[in-house]
Amino acid sequence: MTVKPRKSTLSGLSSVKPRLPVEKRPEPTLAPAPDSPSTSSRRAPADADGTAAGERAPAGGTRAATTVSERLSVNFFCEQDYRDMRSAYQIEYGDDQVPGIVNLKTWFAHAVDEYASKTPSQRAAFRARVGKEREGIDAKKIVRSLDITKMTRDTITEAVYEDYTAGASRISASQFATEAIRSMVERTEERRPRPWPDPQGRLPSKPQAPSRG
C-alpha cells in the first residue's frame, strides 16, 4: 500500500491575504445613577383609598398639584396620632382658615413651615414636653408615607441641621415631621376643641392653583 505524504497545514499560506487588525471600540461608560432621595425605598402602607396617607392627586389638577418629588416615611407614635393628623387636616380644609391648603400635601407643607419658623430652643422645649407626656406609654407605632415636595424636604433638612448646631441631638427627618404634625394638631385643637370628626377613606381635596413664574 502506497502512503501518500500528508499535506502540510502551512502550505498555501503565502496566498492568504493577511487580516487587518480590528480596531477595538471603547467600552461605553454608564452615567452614574442619580442620588436617590434619603427616604425609605419601601412604600409604607396605604390608606383605605389605596394611596399614601389617604391622599390622592385631584382629578383635573395642575402639574403643580399632581407632581410628587418624593415620599417621606413618617413614624407615628400611635394610631391616634395618625387619626389626629387626618382630622386636623379635614377641619382646616373645611374651615378654609389657612390659604393654600387644598390637599394633605399642602397641609403638611404648612405644618413643616410653621414648625421650622420656631427657634431651636422652642423646638427643643416642645420636643421635651411631648417626650415627657409619652413616658411610660406602651403604644404601637405605625408608619405612613406622605407625599412631599423638594421644598418641604429642604425645609426639614435645614431645620434639623439648625437644631443640631444649636446643641440638640441629631434627629431624623421622620421625627421632625411627627413633631411638626403634632404642633399643627395642637394649634387646630386650640381653635376647634374636640371631639373631632374621624374621616374614613379618601380625604377631600381640590385642584391647586398653578404657579405663575
Side-chain angles (χ1 to χ4, degrees):
M1 179 176 65
T2 305
V3 178
K4 294 182 180 180
R6 182 178 296 176
K7 190 174 181 180
S8 173
T9 56
L10 300 178
S11 63
L13 288 182
S14 59
S15 61
V16 177
K17 295 181 179 180
R19 292 184 179 180
L20 296 176
V22 179
E23 181 181 358
K24 291 186 177 181
R25 296 182 179 179
E27 293 293 332
T29 56
L30 299 178
D35 294 335
S36 59
S38 55
T39 53
S40 174
S41 58
R42 297 181 180 178
R43 289 189 177 183
D47 239 356
D49 63 350
T51 56
E55 183 58 25
R56 178 175 294 170
T62 64
R63 183 176 179 82
T66 58
T67 300
V68 177
S69 299
E70 55 185 284
R71 281 180 177 159
L72 176 66
S73 293
V74 179
N75 295 295
F76 289 90
F77 180 74
C78 60
E79 181 73 29
Q80 188 59 48
D81 279 4
Y82 176 61
R83 291 179 180 175
D84 285 348
M85 177 193 70
R86 290 169 56 85
S87 297
Y89 161 73
Q90 183 159 305
I91 291 171
E92 298 293 348
Y93 175 88
D95 291 353
D96 203 20
Q97 292 291 318
V98 182
I101 292 184
V102 296
N103 51 36
L104 187 60
K105 183 170 65 174
T106 53
W107 180 91
F108 177 65
H110 181 77
V112 168
D113 288 342
E114 287 287 318
Y115 193 58
S117 68
K118 298 179 181 294
T119 65
S121 59
Q122 288 174 326
R123 288 193 293 267
F126 179 84
R127 190 173 299 132
R129 176 175 65 81
V130 172
K132 190 175 181 69
E133 290 173 355
R134 291 176 170 176
E135 284 181 357
I137 299 177
D138 185 17
K140 183 179 180 181
K141 293 184 178 180
I142 64 170
V143 181
R144 292 292 183 269
S145 61
L146 301 181
D147 293 340
I148 67 173
T149 63
K150 184 179 183 302
M151 183 178 296
T152 301
R153 160 65 74 175
D154 291 344
T155 301
I156 294 174
T157 302
E158 291 171 4
V160 167
Y161 182 75
E162 186 181 24
D163 287 352
Y164 179 74
T165 55
S169 300
R170 183 178 179 181
I171 65 172
S172 65
S174 175
Q175 181 177 339
F176 187 92
T178 56
E179 292 173 5
I181 291 170
R182 173 66 183 266
S183 178
M184 185 76 164
V185 166
E186 288 186 0
R187 289 193 59 180
T188 303
E189 192 172 19
E190 290 173 0
R191 189 172 60 83
R192 284 281 302 273
R194 298 173 189 265
W196 286 354
D198 187 10
Q200 302 293 328
R202 187 191 304 181
L203 292 173
S205 63
K206 53 190 172 186
Q208 184 173 343
S211 58
R212 304 296 182 182

